[in-house]
Amino acid sequence: MRTTEFYDTLPSKCCDTCGEPLEEMADCYTSTCTQCKGQTFYPLSPISGPTAHPE
């Protein structure tokens, strides 16, 4: 089995508390989502789609 096939077949990582899928991050080993931890996460890239305050 090729290495890429191995990683492609792994199940997605889920929160230990609520069971929601976690966003995969290269240097993150957490197993609890930010909502369950009570933290606010601000993504580095802007959210695509309509804006909350159209002009």
Side-chain angles (χ1 to χ4, degrees), residues 14-20 22 30-33:
C14 296
C15 175
D16 288 341
T17 305
C18 68
E20 290 294 317
L22 293 173
T30 186
S31 58
T32 306
C33 69

Side-chain angles (χ1 to χ4, degrees), residues 43-52:
L44 296 176
S45 58
I47 299 172
S48 61
T51 59

Side-chain angles (χ1 to χ4, degrees), residues 16-45:
D16 288 341
T17 305
C18 68
E20 290 294 317
L22 293 173
E23 182 180 352
E24 296 288 337
M25 296 184 221
D27 59 349
C28 183
Y29 300 101
T30 186
S31 58
T32 306
C33 69
T34 55
Q35 288 83 13
C36 290
K37 286 182 180 179
Q39 298 175 337
T40 303
F41 178 75
Y42 299 101
L44 296 176
S45 58

